[in-house]
């Protein structure tokens, strides 16, 4: 599958989802003049749509909100802080829905999910902790901690929607609905990535190590 990755000047964020019942991959890359998002149909291995995206990509996430397939696209440019922005796009007609007006920090990672009632996106930022935003209203719901967060994950803990943040030599688990801390897990290495396994374990990438945490 050729994705045009060789045209990219910087690293290419990628996320998978569904569009019109078909599995798709959304890739964003920055060319010589501007950045573009390309939607690849994973059945036909062809491009089904292209649209201009925020430059200097930092993070990318997809969600289905009220039947609408949406993409959250975060720009990242350490040289132009005023130019950072995080935008919401409709993948059906490739139109810009709006932006998350207060989310101007560098975004290291994002994940979409639900807090039990509302569709949300959780953003790991460089200076403002993890920030939980409502995907319908594009309003900030909770700020989870402060400072640098490398990665974020959303899942269930005993049926409760929770957020997991990869912080400095620790994982923090938060009540997603209330925005309150539940657990702090200290680690022997600084975590860079975190994910829930299908069987419930937390899988953490930290340096050259992979750490699996069980209940």
């Amino acid at each position: 599958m050729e994705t045009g990755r060789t045209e990219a000047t910087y690293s290419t964020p990628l996320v998978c989802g569904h569009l019109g019942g078909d599995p798709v991959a959304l890739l964003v890359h920055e060319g010589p003049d501007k950045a573009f998002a390309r939607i690849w149909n994973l059945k036909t291995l062809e491009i089904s749509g292209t649209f201009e995206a925020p430059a200097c990509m930092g993070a990318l996430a997809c969600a289905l909100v009220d039947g609408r397939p949406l993409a959250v696209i975060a720009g990242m440019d350490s040289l132009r802080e005023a130019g950072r922005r995080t935008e919401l796009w409709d993948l059906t007609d490739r139109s810009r829905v709006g932006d998350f007006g207060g989310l101007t920090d560098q975004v290291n990672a994002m994940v979409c999910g639900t807090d039990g009632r509302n569709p949300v996106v959780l953003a790991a930022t460089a200076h403002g902790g993890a920030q939980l935003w409502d995907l319908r209203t594009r309003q900030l719901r909770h700020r989870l901690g402060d400072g640098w967060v490398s990665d974020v994950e959303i899942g269930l803990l005993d049926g409760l929607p929770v957020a997991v943040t990869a912080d400095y030599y620790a994982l923090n688990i938060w009540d997603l609905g209330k925005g309150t801390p539940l657990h702090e897990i200290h680690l022997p290495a600084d975590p860079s990535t975190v994910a829930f396994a299908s069987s419930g374990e937390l899988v953490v990438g930290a340096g050259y190590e992979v750490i699996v945490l069980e209940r």
Side-chain angles (χ1 to χ4, degrees):
M1 176 180 174
E2 174 58 48
T3 64
R5 188 182 178 95
T6 54
E7 302 173 17
T9 305
Y10 300 98
S11 60
T12 305
L14 178 149
V15 67
C16 293
H18 286 82
L19 180 62
D22 289 340
V24 297
L26 178 66
L27 297 92
V28 181
H29 70 267
E30 186 172 8
D33 301 316
K34 56 184 67 176
F36 291 93
R38 289 178 175 174
I39 305 170
W40 285 83
N41 187 304
L42 295 179
K43 283 186 176 180
T44 65
L45 304 185
E46 295 178 348
I47 296 174
S48 60
T50 302
F51 56 92
E52 189 174 342
C56 296
M57 293 307 307
L60 187 62
C62 284
L64 188 66
V65 179
D66 301 326
R68 299 174 68 191
L70 302 176
V72 186
I73 303 176
M76 180 181 73
D77 187 343
S78 59
L79 300 179
R80 296 184 292 107
E81 184 170 351
R84 293 182 186 138
R85 64 191 188 276
T86 300
E87 299 180 347
L88 187 65
W89 287 76
D90 190 317
L91 295 181
T92 301
D93 58 9
R94 299 180 293 283
S95 64
R96 182 178 177 276
V97 178
D99 60 28
F100 298 83
L103 186 51
T104 57
D105 197 356
Q106 173 181 312
V107 177
N108 299 321
M110 292 189 297
V111 62
C112 292
T114 176
D115 63 1
R117 295 180 299 175
N118 304 294
V120 294
V121 58
L122 183 62
T125 73
H127 306 97
Q131 299 181 21
L132 186 69
W133 292 77
D134 191 301
L135 283 171
R136 289 195 181 100
T137 65
R138 302 192 303 280
Q139 298 296 310
L140 179 66
R141 296 186 63 85
H142 299 297
R143 189 185 299 270
L144 311 179
D146 53 28
W148 177 278
V149 177
S150 297
D151 197 17
V152 284
E153 176 67 302
I154 290 176
L156 293 175
L157 183 64
D158 298 328
L160 179 71
V162 297
V164 183
T165 58
D167 301 311
Y168 185 65
Y169 282 86
L171 291 182
N172 282 282
I173 302 176
W174 307 77
D175 184 316
L176 201 58
K178 297 178 180 178
T180 54
L182 296 173
H183 304 286
E184 182 177 24
I185 304 170
H186 294 280
L187 299 174
D190 196 13
S192 56
T193 57
V194 60
F196 271 113
S198 58
S199 51
E201 296 90 350
L202 272 176
V203 183
V204 185
Y208 295 101
E209 304 294 333
V210 175
I211 303 169
V212 180
L213 301 174
E214 299 178 336
R215 287 297 306 274

